[in-house]
Amino acid sequence: MSIIILHGDIVYAPSADELAIHENSYIVVKEGCVEGIYPEVPEQYKGVPVTDYGRKMIIPAFSDLHVHASQYVQRGIGMDCLLSDWLNNYTFPQESRFSDMEYAKNCYDAFVDDLIRHGTFHVNAFATIHREATDYLFNRLEEKGLYGYVGKVNMDCNSPDFLIETTEESLRETEVYLDSHKGSKRVKAILAPRFAPTCSKPLIDGLGKLAAKYACGVHTHLVESLWEAEEALRLFPEYGSDAEIYERAGLMNHGPSIFAHVIFPSKEDIRILKKHGSYAVHCPDATTNIIAGIMPVQRLNEQGMKITLGSDIAGGHGIAIYKQVARAVQLSKLKEFYEPSESKTITLTQAFYHATKEAGSAFGKVGSFEKGYLFNALVIDTMEDPWMTMTAEERLERFCYIGDDRNIRARYIEGREL
């Protein structure tokens, strides 16, 4: 039996209102899963070697529930544009280059390596309309041992001539993609209609049939801007909300339904998302860069919504989810200041929970150190100035605000150090 024991300051969030802190403690990992956390090594494990990290923090690895892997090379570019100009001037031309497999491999290799560098071991990623390149991203994540969902993007209308499919082609290529990845374990295929304005009703309905046939979920954008919310209902006039488009097609019945941004949800959107246990992904950097508006995180959380975090590369400019933890707190303050009746400031614990346990639930038992959870973890240096001592909670906060990949001193997936 495989058993490892690590010593350090162990920190995780079992709920949005609790930060569990076990300073100077030992975490026992059996067969890749957490067995328990103890102040001393239990008698039955006395002969097991201990990896001693001193006062370094041991925290769960992060989950990114909305990222465009294909936009990795765009990060930090075009940030003075709003969404429409950013898409047309930068994103769509760049994504069209993924028909070139050499270009795609270079981008996806760098993307996956950077995820690992920054401690994101569970990822829900958009690729592009190009099936061969999407296959490569899927396989690369598998090879590295990460957990993920990867979607081949669907776009058959209101898109540039150089980045569009026919409805038939989109459905055919998507089915080939889904079929080729049946039975995969850590990484799974997911359906990825870009958003309602670039997908016809026959395409959305066809994807719903594929969802039922292959038992897979959906990942798309939802009410991310006032324009998108209005345009979706203009193009689908028989529907009452953006979310209803996906619900009526059967896209929310066969796997996780993951919706990015959810900044301007109607009561009907919220009702549908709650009904299906959907994930609403808050992408703070993208919100400030190219999207107008801030997700009402606290209000949605109080209404029973599942809230998670996403980097939204390249609408967001950085891949580190721990930075989004800090940004989520910052934006909640702005939201409360300008719209006090709409939302309240969230705590660091809440944001950390959304980035670890709640987001991790989309991939299984990851994102926490409760008994039975997979030990997908990071070891963070003390983050202290040499003349003072800080609590574990203070060090976690400092890492989220001013830390970077150099502060991550070890990485574990299923109890195996990378």
Side-chain angles (χ1 to χ4, degrees), residues 68 71 74 83-98 128 130 153 155 157-164 194-195 198 227:
H68 295 257
Q71 295 173 16
Q74 280 181 252
L83 181 59
S84 181
D85 288 340
W86 182 78
L87 288 172
N88 291 312
N89 296 336
Y90 293 95
T91 303
F92 290 155
Q94 192 276 130
E95 284 192 15
S96 71
R97 299 185 65 181
F98 280 76
T128 62
H130 310 95
V153 174
M155 306 164 64
C157 64
N158 302 316
S159 304
D161 293 341
F162 54 81
L163 193 69
I164 196 170
R194 188 175 206 112
F195 59 174
T198 60
W227 170 84

Side-chain angles (χ1 to χ4, degrees), residues 185-240:
K185 294 183 179 179
R186 291 185 182 90
V187 183
K188 298 184 181 299
I190 197 166
L191 293 166
R194 188 175 206 112
F195 59 174
T198 60
C199 297
S200 67
K201 187 177 185 300
L203 177 57
I204 292 288
D205 289 342
L207 292 175
K209 293 175 182 176
L210 291 178
K213 182 176 180 179
Y214 291 92
C216 58
V218 65
H219 171 207
T220 190
H221 304 81
L222 195 80
V223 290
E224 63 177 307
S225 68
L226 292 173
W227 170 84
E228 189 272 332
E230 293 167 359
E231 187 69 2
L233 296 185
R234 186 183 73 81
L235 295 169
F236 291 81
E238 298 178 359
Y239 294 75

Side-chain angles (χ1 to χ4, degrees), residues 15-325:
S15 73
D17 301 317
E18 178 189 359
L19 192 64
I21 299 173
H22 300 266
E23 294 186 325
N24 190 25
S25 295
Y26 299 83
I27 186 164
V28 176
V29 179
K30 272 188 182 180
E31 299 296 323
C33 294
V34 176
E35 188 279 327
I37 299 171
Y38 305 95
E40 301 287 344
V41 176
E43 190 63 35
Q44 66 266 37
Y45 302 123
K46 288 293 187 182
V48 178
V50 174
T51 301
D52 190 355
Y53 288 110
R55 295 187 65 251
K56 293 182 177 67
M57 283 187 301
I58 304 171
I59 65 172
F62 294 99
S63 298
D64 187 340
L65 257 69
H66 179 64
V67 59
H68 295 257
S70 55
Q71 295 173 16
Y72 179 76
V73 297
Q74 280 181 252
R75 63 201 187 286
I77 296 174
M79 297 289 91
D80 55 352
C81 294
L82 291 177
L83 181 59
S84 181
D85 288 340
W86 182 78
L87 288 172
N88 291 312
N89 296 336
Y90 293 95
T91 303
F92 290 155
Q94 192 276 130
E95 284 192 15
S96 71
R97 299 185 65 181
F98 280 76
S99 58
D100 176 350
M101 280 303 298
E102 183 178 0
Y103 182 86
K105 288 177 179 179
N106 286 335
C107 180
Y108 288 149
D109 285 349
F111 168 75
V112 174
D113 288 346
D114 218 10
L115 284 178
I116 295 170
R117 188 177 301 118
H118 285 280
T120 300
F121 296 167
H122 327 104
V123 62
N124 176 45
F126 266 51
T128 62
I129 65 173
H130 310 95
R131 177 174 57 81
E132 186 179 0
T134 305
D135 281 331
Y136 183 84
L137 172 61
F138 186 106
N139 294 332
R140 193 65 175 155
L141 289 167
E142 278 273 19
E143 290 166 7
K144 292 289 189 176
L146 302 185
Y147 286 70
Y149 293 99
V150 176
K152 178 214 151 314
V153 174
N154 303 104
M155 306 164 64
D156 72 338
C157 64
N158 302 316
S159 304
D161 293 341
F162 54 81
L163 193 69
I164 196 170
E165 312 160 287
T166 65
T167 305
E168 296 75 16
E169 176 188 18
S170 187
L171 291 172
R172 182 180 65 251
E173 289 291 284
T174 299
E175 181 158 18
V176 172
Y177 172 68
L178 296 177
D179 190 67
S180 67
H181 295 295
K182 287 189 301 185
S184 60
K185 294 183 179 179
R186 291 185 182 90
V187 183
K188 298 184 181 299
I190 197 166
L191 293 166
R194 188 175 206 112
F195 59 174
T198 60
C199 297
S200 67
K201 187 177 185 300
L203 177 57
I204 292 288
D205 289 342
L207 292 175
K209 293 175 182 176
L210 291 178
K213 182 176 180 179
Y214 291 92
C216 58
V218 65
H219 171 207
T220 190
H221 304 81
L222 195 80
V223 290
E224 63 177 307
S225 68
L226 292 173
W227 170 84
E228 189 272 332
E230 293 167 359
E231 187 69 2
L233 296 185
R234 186 183 73 81
L235 295 169
F236 291 81
E238 298 178 359
Y239 294 75
S241 73
D242 203 349
E244 187 183 346
I245 296 168
Y246 305 100
E247 182 187 45
R248 280 173 54 179
L251 280 163
M252 302 170 71
N253 298 330
H254 306 285
S257 48
I258 303 171
F259 296 102
H261 304 302
V262 196
I263 296 172
F264 301 103
S266 66
K267 290 182 179 179
E268 185 65 4
D269 286 318
I270 294 171
R271 184 192 70 79
I272 291 171
L273 267 60
K274 285 177 60 179
K275 173 184 174 182
H276 294 278
S278 303
Y279 295 88
V281 191
H282 183 28
C283 305
D285 276 349
T287 286
T288 54
N289 288 334
I290 59 172
I291 308 285
I294 301 171
M295 179 196 275
V297 175
Q298 188 73 298
R299 178 168 65 84
L300 294 181
N301 187 61
E302 289 171 353
Q303 290 181 298
M305 291 276 292
K306 291 182 181 178
I307 308 297
T308 63
L309 297 183
S311 67
D312 195 18
I313 293 290
H317 53 273
I319 205 166
I321 287 295
Y322 49 88
K323 295 290 189 184
Q324 301 312 307
V325 171

Side-chain angles (χ1 to χ4, degrees), residues 358-383:
E358 187 145 52
S361 69
F363 305 92
K365 295 187 77 171
V366 300
S368 183
F369 292 151
E370 295 156 81
K371 185 179 177 64
Y373 273 70
L374 285 169
F375 189 68
N376 294 355
L378 309 173
V379 178
I380 311 298
D381 69 23
T382 62
M383 296 297 295

